[in-house]
Amino acid sequence: MTERPFRADDTFVHDLGARRSRDTAVLGVVVSIPEPWAQMFVEWRGKCGDPQASLVPPHVTLLPPTEVAVGDRSAISAHLARVAAAHPPFDMHLSGTGTFRPVSEVVFVAVARGIAYCEQIAADVRSGPLARPLNFPYHPHVTVAHDVPTDMLDMAYAGLADLHVEFRVDSFTEFEQLPGGAWAVSQEYPLTGPGAG
């Protein structure tokens, strides 16, 4: 049996052709990467020529960009608060690189520890007012190069192959996309579920 290949369903990019109503917003929910590693990831995306380097904060996606009605924002906030209250903080370990090539021109740093926590939280986030299907199987990761020339993808893949980063995840972040394409923090949701403390 052949496994379906993973592909990034993590398109935190700005669609210049999209014309959104003032009655909608585009949200994403992520595990933010803390400093000093966040700046390192920004620098790597920039070095690879990735135009998203200055627009997309380094993260592990829980909810890909999703258009929602502005009128639903309070229900969405309440939903995300409930999800955060049901899950405890956890340790994340990022280690080595991977790629979605040839399906998608993406190089990423892999989540080595914390995958199950991300899967559980992501499934809960994508329920209720944020229920939506995914185009590809959920695969937590940190994108470091996306849709850049092959030699730049290869550079990122080799250059971060020995990377090991560990940190505690004690919250997740809701982002909203601004008109220029950048993502701004809308709200942080502390993980306070059973075992927290």
Side-chain angles (χ1 to χ4, degrees):
M1 182 168 119
T2 307
E3 278 191 28
R4 185 175 174 192
F6 283 121
R7 177 172 184 247
D9 193 13
D10 182 8
T11 51
F12 274 72
V13 297
H14 185 56
D15 182 358
L16 294 174
R19 294 194 186 281
R20 289 189 198 91
S21 158
R22 290 186 185 142
D23 298 330
T24 64
V26 176
L27 305 180
V29 178
V30 306
V31 171
S32 295
I33 305 301
E35 295 297 354
W37 304 288
Q39 185 58 37
M40 180 204 65
F41 282 118
V42 169
E43 289 168 3
W44 265 97
R45 283 191 89 156
K47 183 163 47 172
C48 293
D50 189 326
Q52 300 304 311
S54 63
L55 300 176
V56 182
H59 65 276
V60 174
T61 299
L62 297 172
L63 175 77
T66 302
E67 190 166 356
V68 301
V70 170
D72 292 342
R73 290 297 293 274
S74 60
I76 289 168
S77 293
H79 165 68
L80 292 174
R82 283 192 299 275
V83 170
H87 293 274
F90 62 96
D91 293 322
M92 182 169 281
H93 179 194
L94 307 177
S95 181
T97 48
T99 183
F100 294 120
R101 293 187 287 179
V103 177
S104 183
E105 297 299 300
V106 172
V107 167
F108 58 85
V109 169
V111 175
R113 182 177 177 198
I115 293 173
Y117 288 102
C118 289
E119 289 173 340
Q120 292 165 5
I121 296 170
D124 286 352
V125 165
R126 292 190 318 270
S127 67
L130 291 174
R132 58 159 289 176
L134 295 178
N135 296 324
F136 299 93
Y138 179 69
H139 182 65
H141 64 278
V142 181
T143 299
V144 290
H146 183 200
D147 287 337
V148 298
T150 300
D151 60 331
M152 294 292 99
L153 290 169
D154 293 342
M155 179 179 74
Y157 188 86
L160 292 169
D162 296 327
L163 179 71
H164 294 282
V165 169
E166 295 184 51
F167 56 91
R168 186 81 168 156
V169 176
D170 55 15
S171 66
F172 60 73
T173 307
E174 175 191 332
F175 279 105
E176 180 172 354
Q177 192 170 46
L178 303 177
W183 291 86
V185 172
S186 178
Q187 192 167 339
E188 295 278 348
Y189 294 88
L191 298 173
T192 58

